[in-house]
Each structure stands twice: as C-alpha cells, then as structure tokens.
Amino acid sequence: MNPTTSKTTEAPTTEAPEATDATSATLVKGASNASDVSDEAGGEAEGRRAPGDGDGPEHDSSTDTDSDPDLDFDPKDDDVDGAPSGLGAAAAAVVAAGLGVVGLTGAWSGRVAAERETLLGQMKTASGGSVAQQISEIYGDAWHSTALVNGLFALLALLVGVFALVRPAFGAPAKDPQPGWVRAVATAGIALGVLGVLISAGMYFDLIVALPTASAAG
C-alpha cells in the first residue's frame, strides 16, 4: 500500500463568515452615518427655510387685526352707534319744567326791570305831575316790566317743552323709545308755560289787576 495515498486533504478554515460579518457591520455603520448626515442637512435646510415656504399660506393674525379692527363686525352696530341716545330730549324736558316754574313765580331779572322802571318814573315826575301820571310812570310801568319778563320765561318754557316732545319725530330714530317720564316732564313744562303766558298777558294788559285811577287814589 502506498502510504502517501492515505493522506487526507485538510479542509480550509472557514474565515469567510467573519469577513461577511465585518463587511455587514461596516455597511450598517456607513448607512447610519449617511442617515445622520442627511438628518443634519435636512435640519439646516429647514432652519434656512423662509416663513412663506411652507406647505400652505401662513395666517398672519396681526394683518387681519389691522385690516378689520371690529372683530365682531355687524352692519347694525354702526346704525345703533349713530342713533341719538335721547339725552337731549330728557334735558330739554327738565329745562322746560324749570322755566315754567320761573315764569309763574318770577325771576330776579323781572325784579331788576321793575326797579329800573320805578326809578325812571320818579325821575320823570320829580318836577311835578298829575296823580294819574305818577301812578302810570312809577307803578304801572314797573308792573308791566315784571309781567313782560315773566311772560318771556313762560314762552321759552313752552317752546322747549314742545321741542322735547316732538324731537323723536325728526332726525335719526333713537335706539330706544322715549321714556315715559321724559314725556310727562315735557308736558308739565308745556302746561306751566301756557299758564305763565296767559297770566303774564293778563297782567301786562291790566286784565287781571287794573291800575288804580286818580279818583280812587284821592
């Protein structure tokens, strides 16, 4: 037998799997590094992106606020804001009532006018005059001046009261109906004004209280 033929050929050592594992690890590591690089590049690109380069148009609330200051826009609001509040009519009603009271009771201006006429009458009759002239110049003119001033206050009360009542019928309509107390006070001012005008007219023309005559004075 030939001893050389009995030699068995040794199988080569298998180091290929280790090389394969090393190659796989290298590929995985390279892929991971590439992914990190792409993420960093994407982050930088996103950071450099302009505000208007997004997927859709961005909504700027400041622009909307500047263009539309009234966020609760309602066309009826403008009409309501422009409507009169009725404060003028209420004030006119109170003034009418006050003027009506002054027209009946008298004012200091009427007293001053009466004193002036009295002084003028005394000056006219200082050099002498009949009794009838003295009565007319000293007393009659003073009474008539007082009646005239009071009548003017009463007439003014009448006009202001009428204005307070008819104001809602003219101009822009009020946002609220006229309160009942305003109409009541305005009506009272009108009534006082009419009464004051009648009394003042009667006093001025000597219809209520006549001047004394010379015979009665003597």
Side-chain angles (χ1 to χ4, degrees), residues 15-24:
E15 295 179 357
E18 295 180 358
T20 304
D21 295 339
T23 303
S24 300

Side-chain angles (χ1 to χ4, degrees), residues 19-111:
T20 304
D21 295 339
T23 303
S24 300
T26 302
L27 294 176
V28 171
K29 184 176 181 181
S32 177
N33 293 333
S35 177
D36 295 339
V37 171
S38 62
D39 293 340
E40 293 178 358
E44 293 177 356
E46 184 177 357
R48 293 193 300 269
R49 183 179 300 174
D53 295 339
D55 295 336
E58 294 185 358
H59 182 72
D60 191 358
S61 59
S62 62
T63 304
D64 294 344
T65 304
D66 295 339
S67 62
D68 187 10
D70 189 5
L71 298 180
D72 297 333
F73 177 74
D74 189 357
K76 296 182 179 180
D77 292 344
D78 296 339
D79 297 335
V80 173
D81 293 340
S85 61
L87 182 61
V94 176
V95 170
L99 291 174
V101 174
V102 173
L104 287 177
T105 59
W108 67 271
S109 55
R111 184 172 63 254

Side-chain angles (χ1 to χ4, degrees), residues 88-186:
V94 176
V95 170
L99 291 174
V101 174
V102 173
L104 287 177
T105 59
W108 67 271
S109 55
R111 184 172 63 254
V112 170
E115 293 177 354
R116 180 179 181 277
E117 292 296 331
T118 300
L119 180 60
L120 291 176
Q122 292 175 353
M123 294 173 60
K124 290 179 181 180
T125 59
S127 59
S130 63
V131 176
Q133 184 181 2
Q134 292 180 357
I135 293 175
S136 176
E137 295 291 341
I138 297 175
Y139 300 103
D141 292 346
W143 295 349
H144 294 163
S145 297
T146 302
L148 179 61
V149 173
N150 292 344
L152 292 178
F153 276 100
L155 180 61
L156 188 59
L158 175 61
L159 296 177
V160 175
V162 171
F163 168 78
L165 282 182
V166 303
R167 172 62 185 86
F170 299 94
K175 59 182 179 180
D176 296 324
Q178 192 177 57
W181 70 268
V182 174
R183 295 192 297 271
V185 174

